[in-house]
Amino acid sequence: MGRILAIDYGTKRTGIAVTDVLRIIATPLDTVPSQELLNFLKVYLQKEPVDEFVVGMPKTLKNEDSEIAPLVRKFVEELKKTFPDKPVHLADERFTSSMAMRAMIDGGMKKKDRQVKGNVDKISATIILQSFMEAAR
């Protein structure tokens, strides 16, 4: 069984999280510049077995697409073309950034480290992935 890889896509940088091979735990993997994301994934998938992707879909409080949603949908199409044999699931990502910030505070992360925006992105991806896994159980 391969990993599930989650993507919190952003205009500048993207947070990535993965499961272990048994799909028990979601952990932050990395934050990469969004324009380098597909290349990063190609290299990663050559080294690690990944069976499917989960991409966070930004929604408003009214459950409508946010202003960045068209960019995410465009990325999802590119992802499907690049990895046609891998299912791509969309997951609601509302509140993940605030949940990530709360998790960093509760976890005792220093303020200096919390201000590194990439940390929020990869923890947000982890929350998206953990929520996806819990919903699938």
Side-chain angles (χ1 to χ4, degrees):
M1 185 172 1
R3 300 173 190 274
I4 303 171
L5 188 141
I7 299 168
D8 181 25
Y9 188 83
T11 56
K12 294 180 183 175
R13 71 192 162 275
T14 296
I16 303 169
V18 293
T19 64
D20 59 304
V21 291
L22 298 176
R23 298 184 179 189
I24 297 170
I25 298 171
T27 56
L29 177 64
D30 207 346
T31 303
V32 298
S34 295
Q35 70 270 15
E36 298 173 17
L37 180 56
L38 287 174
N39 286 333
F40 174 89
L41 293 174
K42 288 175 189 174
V43 171
Y44 185 79
L45 268 68
Q46 289 176 351
K47 297 184 287 187
E48 295 292 337
V50 172
D51 287 346
E52 53 193 307
F53 297 102
V54 178
V55 179
M57 181 53 64
K59 299 278 188 178
T60 66
L61 292 176
K62 294 180 180 181
N63 199 29
E64 298 168 348
D65 282 358
S66 73
E67 59 186 51
I68 190 178
L71 294 174
V72 175
R73 291 190 189 285
K74 181 180 177 195
F75 167 74
V76 167
E77 291 306 312
E78 292 174 20
L79 184 65
K80 288 177 178 180
K81 286 178 188 170
T82 305
F83 304 102
D85 60 327
K86 311 280 184 212
V88 178
H89 309 279
L90 299 180
D92 187 344
E93 70 163 29
R94 279 180 285 186
F95 309 115
T96 56
S97 293
S98 57
M99 291 169 66
M101 186 59 73
R102 173 59 36 204
M104 290 189 299
I105 291 169
D106 291 348
M109 185 180 276
K110 294 178 183 175
K111 184 175 182 179
K112 178 180 162 189
D113 294 331
R114 291 194 313 260
Q115 291 173 337
V116 176
K117 296 198 185 283
N119 288 337
V120 174
D121 296 332
K122 60 186 171 184
I123 292 173
S124 292
T126 306
I127 292 168
I128 291 167
L129 183 52
Q130 191 67 46
S131 297
F132 175 81
M133 290 170 32
E134 289 171 7
R137 288 186 184 144

